Amino acid sequence: MELLIPLDSKSRKPMYEQIYAHIRQEIRDGSLQAEDRLPSTRVLAEHLKVSRSTTQMAYEQLMAEGYIASRPYRGYFVTRMEELVEAGPQTEREMETSGEKDADCLVDFSPRGIDLESFPYNTWRKLSRNTLVDDNREMFHSGNHQGEPGLREAIRSYLHSARGVNCSADQIIVGAGSEYLLMLLSQVLGAGHRIAMENPTYKQAYRVFSSLSYEVRAVEMDSFGMNPELLERSGADVAYVMPSHQFPTGVIMPVARRQELLKWAAAGKERYLIEDDYDSEFRYKGKPIPALQGMDHSGRVIYLGTFSKCIAPAIRVSYLVLPKALLKRYREQCGFYASTVSRIDQNILYQFLAQGHFERHLNRMRGIYKTKHDAILAAIRPLETRFTIGGEYAGIHILLTCREPWEAAEQELIDLAARAGVKVYGLSSYYIHPEHNSHPATIVLGYASLSEEQIRQGAELLTECWKQK
Amino acid sequence: MELLIPLDSKSRKPMYEQIYAHIRQEIRDGSLQAEDRLPSTRVLAEHLKVSRSTTQMAYEQLMAEGYIASRPYRGYFVTRMEELVEAGPQTEREMETSGEKDADCLVDFSPRGIDLESFPYNTWRKLSRNTLVDDNREMFHSGNHQGEPGLREAIRSYLHSARGVNCSADQIIVGAGSEYLLMLLSQVLGAGHRIAMENPTYKQAYRVFSSLSYEVRAVEMDSFGMNPELLERSGADVAYVMPSHQFPTGVIMPVARRQELLKWAAAGKERYLIEDDYDSEFRYKGKPIPALQGMDHSGRVIYLGTFSKCIAPAIRVSYLVLPKALLKRYREQCGFYASTVSRIDQNILYQFLAQGHFERHLNRMRGIYKTKHDAILAAIRPLETRFTIGGEYAGIHILLTCREPWEAAEQELIDLAARAGVKVYGLSSYYIHPEHNSHPATIVLGYASLSEEQIRQGAELLTECWKQK
């Protein structure tokens, strides 16, 4: 049999998932029936002009979910229906985390997406090859617990020149993603802390702290960021902040407010600020303010950075810069933990940084995101009579806040957009206690993974559907 | 200037560290003086016939430690001595974790080493290239939180056929190393558990549990493994065991004892067994006993496996198999954590498994380790009058226990060996409370990373130096 699978190479949905979803649908529809034989992964790959590992991954997923089965020497067959295990909610969740979009969604303004079209794939491939050359067998031995010294030195040098961070390579800990590093940090800090978070905030960090059994105190923001008086009153001893570009509000914390926070931290014996500098690389106006860490003279700032936003999420490399007192504690209590990033990957990334590719890539991405940023600001101009624009000139998302007197409920705006084929996100979902908050209806629009054309199309659809009210 | 650096390609010490250590020594000696200019990384790489990234890594490490500095457009120079930052204990620690050996150590019987000489580097390189082909850009998007479905299915299939583990791919969680997975597991299990560990045990796991604030109860072993009566009396509700091949004692738990442990687990509402199957792949005699997990009908076994021992430590991929009740809890409480292993690496590993390379590699390694195992047993025969041999026929280490009446202290044996240029490890260091234990002097001999020649040489030196007493 032959499978005609329409593949969309522009889709954010990976090829293997498109193949998987198509075959699954065919089985559910009955177009493919029990005992039908599927083409081999080789034949299907040739037919669809994709790599064989892509078809293999699609088949493996179908097998994992019980839709198809393989028989030795005979190939792949559709399972009999009574054999089908109830796939249940996991399947949906898996799909969601892999970024599946609703079938009838034309434009998705997800603030989580990034632009991977412009990723220097060829360079990355070349560096991978160089790392795996013959005399680099050492790459397969276990490496330094904090991360390869070369990579840490390259990160230090970048942070110093680009972000004003003052540290030695010794203070840097490389880890597999920011969530892992927060887990590790919790072991360094110990239990029993009360963590203040800006409200609204990055919900993923909130989930990490909660799952680590920390008590989280939501601290309201004003237009300069976390309110220091409310912070003091919250009783927290650790504050997690995003001064460069707060997520999701887009607030850039002015220097005076930063100093107030540093003063707060220095005033208590065991007070710390966790500075999450997740997308500080992207700023389209004015001079970037150096990191909080660089202004700190009391050793109270824990700096957290990531390559997920500025290189690719799948790279899974983030880093912590610990103040010296915590570094000592880390070494005593957690120094035995082996690094969670493979040495091969660390070396690829090291070369990417040391050979200047990272800087070139950042400059390029800054240009690309600036163009998209300008495109979205231009495209939503017709909405300005009813919405105030916020969080612009930095990062990869903006906010639209409903002006009075037209006070539409957030959910109403989201529903109207969904009906028009546009997925948008309400600010409410980023609040720690959404039920206690009465902010005016606000929509978060991420634009990083959209093309200029999609941005324009999305903005037009929004203008149209929100006008009808 | 030209640097003559003697490189040993057979050494376990990576090339870049050899270069680093040589230059550091030259600076410390005064052979290289302040303001001396070093060759460029390119020239040095050509000269030493190594890749440029190797010389770059060496220089970066020297820079990170303040021995040399780079000046724009001029190159690398030796730092003036008064500028030298005190490198302190970190340098030593870094060196240790990177596997530096004592200069005067001829043979190191480290039980941590593995044989990487026979690693299929070419295959790995080829798979890496295949993964990074053009239509696989999806690899750079974020992936499934539990790990790629295809990889999980391949692990499931391997575990089922080779280890008798019964699970679905849904129950598998792929993570960056066993330590990370134990950290994650602790969030699923929650706080307040009392963890029983075999005594002696794998100290790294002990450190993880302790650092996660669990109360660890050391449970003595008999010749069948953890004593179930003592386990019951310990008051623990979770037991961490290595039934396939206990580390370090080498005890293989018989089926009857396994059933007793499963009965213990089933008797309490929230009791679990963590089965660490770290080196079950290597067994040289008899039929392997299937995993505890496969005998469990009450959903009380958490299975932990790793590719560190059977592929390479630097790969950083381990996996958990959760019983269904814990899987539900994992999804509710920790499902938001993104995978810590890069999607690219998961795909390389997936292909390694799915295309049969893993099985071939395992078969090959089994042969190689069997040869080394036989070589060490033959070579230590002269010691048998004074020592009992234990833990043979499986894994990659054996034990030598002092027989009465010749009761040498363990430390004495270690010191005598060290003076003869042989590094050996005392069993005492693996006890949870070494001070309470009065086992006869026992030496752990790891042989995986040694050549047959080194094994023979080491055994001869040991026979000689321990005879003189």
Side-chain angles (χ1 to χ4, degrees):
Chain A
M1 62 157 298
E2 210 168 272
L3 281 175
L4 289 170
I5 304 181
L7 293 179
D8 175 7
S9 62
K10 294 268 178 290
S11 165
R12 273 179 60 213
K13 194 162 145 181
M15 289 290 188
Y16 91 89
E17 274 192 28
Q18 295 186 38
I19 298 169
Y20 152 82
H22 181 87
I23 298 178
R24 184 182 60 169
Q25 200 52 47
E26 297 268 288
I27 295 173
R28 284 182 172 176
D29 288 352
S31 313
L32 278 172
Q33 299 227 323
E35 297 300 319
D36 275 357
R37 184 170 172 171
L38 297 178
S40 73
T41 53
R42 190 185 51 75
V43 167
L44 185 62
E46 279 168 12
H47 181 65
L48 297 175
K49 308 224 175 349
V50 298
S51 80
R52 190 160 171 202
S53 68
T54 300
T55 52
Q56 278 172 334
M57 280 170 76
Y59 277 25
E60 292 282 358
Q61 181 153 346
L62 288 163
M63 279 203 285
E65 292 175 9
Y67 287 103
I68 65 171
S70 81
R71 302 202 186 129
Y73 309 111
R74 300 198 46 220
Y76 296 92
F77 292 83
V78 176
T79 322
R80 244 175 269 136
M81 287 315 266
E82 61 268 30
E83 293 169 20
L84 269 184
V85 198
E86 183 52 65
Q90 168 59 6
T91 310
E92 298 310 315
R93 206 185 58 84
E94 287 192 359
M95 288 296 91
E96 187 219 318
T97 58
S98 328
E100 192 184 46
K101 288 190 283 185
D102 301 335
D104 37 340
C105 166
L106 300 167
V107 181
D108 183 349
F109 281 105
S110 165
R112 288 173 53 219
I114 74 159
D115 185 331
L116 279 174
E117 286 297 308
S118 320
F119 183 79
Y121 293 96
N122 286 328
T123 304
W124 200 265
R125 271 195 288 274
K126 214 186 103 216
L127 297 178
S128 303
R129 271 203 303 276
N130 290 352
T131 296
L132 293 170
V133 294
D134 255 340
D135 74 319
N136 257 348
R137 296 195 166 189
E138 65 205 46
M139 286 298 132
F140 290 88
H141 285 278
S142 50
N144 186 288
H145 285 204
Q146 283 186 227
E148 297 301 294
L151 174 60
R152 286 192 276 125
E153 175 58 25
I155 293 173
R156 184 209 62 73
S157 157
Y158 164 70
L159 288 180
H160 184 71
S161 62
R163 304 293 307 125
V165 168
N166 289 317
C167 69
S168 70
D170 261 8
Q171 287 170 266
I172 296 176
I173 299 162
V174 172
S178 302
E179 297 157 15
Y180 164 73
L181 286 173
L182 289 178
M183 241 188 229
L184 188 68
L185 180 63
S186 80
Q187 289 198 44
V188 179
L189 288 173
H193 290 281
R194 290 161 305 281
I195 313 234
M197 295 188 86
E198 294 153 331
N199 200 19
T201 191
Y202 177 48
K203 268 302 202 37
Q204 191 74 348
Y206 170 70
R207 287 186 202 110
V208 173
F209 290 129
S210 305
S211 84
L212 293 168
S213 320
Y214 281 122
E215 208 182 300
V216 174
R217 307 275 165 99
V219 176
E220 300 308 308
M221 300 177 65
D222 56 29
S223 55
F224 302 136
M226 185 181 264
N227 183 315
E229 267 171 53
L230 295 178
L231 169 59
E232 184 68 53
R233 264 192 270 154
S234 74
D237 52 359
V238 175
Y240 171 92
V241 289
M242 295 169 269
S244 299
H245 187 236
Q246 208 269 345
F247 187 86
T249 64
V251 167
I252 296 165
M253 195 184 284
V255 172
R257 176 60 57 87
R258 291 173 192 233
Q259 275 158 343
E260 285 179 280
L261 287 188
L262 288 169
K263 222 170 107 185
W264 168 85
K269 209 171 157 268
E270 271 281 294
R271 282 186 180 173
Y272 289 100
L273 291 163
I274 302 172
E275 174 178 29
D276 187 348
D277 216 18
Y278 71 105
D279 77 350
S280 59
E281 288 83 5
F282 306 117
R283 205 179 146 83
Y284 318 119
K285 199 182 173 182
K287 237 186 114 187
I289 302 177
L292 207 53
Q293 200 273 0
M295 298 168 64
D296 171 32
H297 302 293
S298 321
R300 300 311 181 96
V301 175
I302 299 154
Y303 182 92
L304 175 64
T306 179
F307 292 106
S308 293
K309 290 271 172 193
C310 54
I311 298 184
I315 298 303
R316 306 309 298 148
V317 183
S318 296
Y319 45 91
L320 271 181
V321 181
L322 289 183
K324 292 204 168 129
L326 290 184
L327 182 67
K328 190 165 170 281
R329 230 192 276 170
Y330 157 80
R331 286 190 177 154
E332 285 163 10
Q333 294 167 16
C334 303
F336 66 88
Y337 281 111
S339 173
T340 41
V341 185
S342 105
R343 229 172 141 178
I344 301 163
D345 295 347
Q346 291 190 56
N347 192 48
I348 297 170
L349 182 57
Y350 161 66
Q351 293 182 66
F352 193 71
L353 268 73
Q355 296 176 15
H357 301 293
F358 180 58
E359 216 167 315
R360 273 193 292 281
H361 176 61
L362 273 186
N363 286 334
R364 200 168 135 71
M365 291 318 295
R366 238 178 247 124
I368 289 168
Y369 287 148
K370 167 84 163 69
T371 307
K372 293 186 179 186
H373 166 268
D374 294 351
I376 198 168
L377 287 188
I380 57 168
R381 190 144 311 151
L383 285 165
E384 280 188 71
T385 49
R386 292 171 150 190
F387 294 90
T388 312
I389 293 160
E392 70 274 45
Y393 308 125
I396 46 180
H397 74 273
I398 58 162
L399 289 93
L400 292 182
T401 302
C402 231
R403 285 189 217 250
E404 289 168 301
W406 191 62
E407 270 262 9
E410 230 171 75
Q411 195 53 52
E412 207 181 334
L413 292 170
I414 296 168
D415 293 344
L416 282 169
R419 252 171 271 152
V422 183
K423 195 158 181 186
V424 296
Y425 300 79
L427 187 66
S428 299
S429 57
Y430 302 102
Y431 274 94
I432 293 176
H433 305 291
E435 63 284 9
H436 300 156
N437 275 287
S438 55
H439 65 276
T442 303
I443 297 296
V444 180
L445 296 179
Y447 51 82
S449 61
L450 300 175
S451 67
E452 282 179 73
E453 182 45 40
Q454 286 173 309
I455 289 172
R456 268 189 291 273
Q457 188 197 359
E460 266 167 41
L461 289 167
L462 289 180
T463 310
E464 193 53 34
C465 75
W466 288 343
K467 190 188 282 169
Q468 290 166 343
K469 234 223 61 123
Chain B
M1 63 157 296
E2 209 169 90
L3 280 175
L4 289 170
I5 304 180
L7 293 180
D8 175 6
S9 63
K10 294 267 178 291
S11 164
R12 274 180 58 214
K13 193 161 145 181
M15 290 290 187
Y16 90 90
E17 275 192 27
Q18 295 185 38
I19 299 169
Y20 153 82
H22 181 87
I23 298 177
R24 184 182 61 167
Q25 201 50 48
E26 297 268 288
I27 295 172
R28 284 181 172 176
D29 289 352
S31 312
L32 277 172
Q33 298 228 321
E35 297 301 318
D36 276 357
R37 182 170 171 171
L38 298 178
S40 73
T41 54
R42 190 185 51 76
V43 167
L44 185 63
E46 279 168 11
H47 181 65
L48 298 174
K49 310 224 175 347
V50 298
S51 79
R52 191 160 172 203
S53 68
T54 300
T55 52
Q56 278 172 335
M57 280 169 77
Y59 278 25
E60 293 280 358
Q61 181 152 346
L62 289 164
M63 278 202 286
E65 293 174 10
Y67 287 104
I68 64 170
S70 82
R71 300 199 188 130
Y73 309 111
R74 299 199 46 221
Y76 296 92
F77 291 82
V78 176
T79 322
R80 243 175 269 136
M81 287 315 267
E82 60 267 30
E83 293 170 19
L84 268 184
V85 196
E86 183 51 67
Q90 168 60 5
T91 311
E92 298 311 315
R93 206 185 58 84
E94 287 191 359
M95 289 296 89
E96 188 219 316
T97 58
S98 329
E100 191 182 49
K101 288 190 283 188
D102 302 335
D104 38 339
C105 166
L106 300 167
V107 181
D108 183 349
F109 282 106
S110 166
R112 288 174 53 221
I114 74 160
D115 184 330
L116 279 175
E117 287 297 308
S118 320
F119 183 78
Y121 294 95
N122 286 329
T123 305
W124 200 265
R125 270 195 289 274
K126 214 186 102 218
L127 298 178
S128 302
R129 269 202 305 277
N130 291 352
T131 296
L132 293 171
V133 293
D134 255 340
D135 74 319
N136 257 348
R137 296 193 166 191
E138 66 205 45
M139 285 298 131
F140 290 87
H141 286 278
S142 50
N144 187 289
H145 285 203
Q146 283 187 226
E148 297 300 293
L151 174 61
R152 286 192 277 125
E153 174 58 25
I155 292 173
R156 184 208 63 73
S157 158
Y158 164 71
L159 288 180
H160 184 72
S161 61
R163 303 294 306 127
V165 168
N166 289 317
C167 70
S168 70
D170 261 8
Q171 285 170 266
I172 296 176
I173 299 163
V174 173
S178 302
E179 299 157 14
Y180 164 73
L181 286 173
L182 289 178
M183 240 189 230
L184 189 68
L185 179 62
S186 80
Q187 289 198 43
V188 179
L189 289 172
H193 290 281
R194 290 161 305 280
I195 312 233
M197 295 187 86
E198 294 152 330
N199 199 19
T201 191
Y202 177 48
K203 268 304 201 37
Q204 192 72 348
Y206 170 71
R207 286 186 203 109
V208 174
F209 290 130
S210 306
S211 84
L212 292 167
S213 322
Y214 281 122
E215 209 182 300
V216 175
R217 306 275 164 98
V219 176
E220 300 308 308
M221 299 177 65
D222 57 27
S223 55
F224 302 136
M226 185 181 266
N227 182 315
E229 268 171 53
L230 296 179
L231 169 60
E232 184 68 52
R233 266 193 270 154
S234 74
D237 52 358
V238 175
Y240 171 92
V241 290
M242 295 168 270
S244 298
H245 187 237
Q246 207 269 344
F247 188 87
T249 64
V251 168
I252 295 165
M253 194 184 286
V255 173
R257 176 60 56 89
R258 291 173 192 233
Q259 276 158 345
E260 285 179 278
L261 287 188
L262 288 169
K263 222 169 105 185
W264 168 84
K269 208 171 158 267
E270 271 281 292
R271 282 185 180 174
Y272 289 101
L273 292 162
I274 301 172
E275 174 177 29
D276 188 348
D277 216 17
Y278 70 106
D279 77 351
S280 60
E281 288 83 5
F282 306 117
R283 207 181 145 80
Y284 318 119
K285 200 181 171 182
K287 236 187 115 190
I289 303 176
L292 206 53
Q293 200 274 359
M295 299 169 64
D296 171 31
H297 302 293
S298 321
R300 300 311 181 97
V301 174
I302 299 154
Y303 182 92
L304 175 64
T306 179
F307 292 106
S308 294
K309 290 271 171 195
C310 55
I311 297 185
I315 298 302
R316 306 309 297 148
V317 184
S318 296
Y319 46 89
L320 271 181
V321 181
L322 289 183
K324 292 203 172 132
L326 290 184
L327 182 66
K328 190 165 169 282
R329 232 192 274 170
Y330 157 79
R331 287 190 177 155
E332 285 162 9
Q333 294 167 17
C334 304
F336 66 88
Y337 280 111
S339 172
T340 41
V341 186
S342 105
R343 229 171 141 178
I344 300 163
D345 294 348
Q346 291 190 55
N347 192 48
I348 297 170
L349 182 57
Y350 161 67
Q351 293 182 65
F352 193 71
L353 268 73
Q355 297 176 14
H357 300 294
F358 181 58
E359 215 167 316
R360 274 193 293 280
H361 176 60
L362 272 186
N363 286 334
R364 200 168 137 71
M365 291 317 296
R366 238 177 247 124
I368 288 168
Y369 286 148
K370 168 82 163 71
T371 307
K372 293 187 179 187
H373 166 267
D374 294 350
I376 199 168
L377 287 188
I380 58 168
R381 189 144 312 153
L383 285 166
E384 281 188 70
T385 50
R386 291 170 150 191
F387 293 88
T388 312
I389 292 159
E392 70 275 45
Y393 309 125
I396 46 179
H397 74 273
I398 58 162
L399 289 93
L400 291 182
T401 302
C402 231
R403 284 188 218 252
E404 288 166 303
W406 191 62
E407 272 262 8
E410 230 172 74
Q411 195 52 52
E412 207 181 334
L413 293 170
I414 295 167
D415 292 345
L416 283 168
R419 253 171 272 150
V422 183
K423 195 158 181 189
V424 297
Y425 300 78
L427 187 65
S428 299
S429 58
Y430 302 102
Y431 273 94
I432 292 175
H433 306 290
E435 63 285 9
H436 300 157
N437 274 287
S438 55
H439 65 275
T442 303
I443 297 295
V444 180
L445 296 180
Y447 51 81
S449 60
L450 300 176
S451 67
E452 282 178 73
E453 182 46 40
Q454 286 173 309
I455 289 172
R456 270 187 291 272
Q457 187 197 0
E460 266 167 40
L461 289 167
L462 289 179
T463 311
E464 193 55 33
C465 75
W466 287 343
K467 189 188 283 168
Q468 288 165 344
K469 234 266 3 153

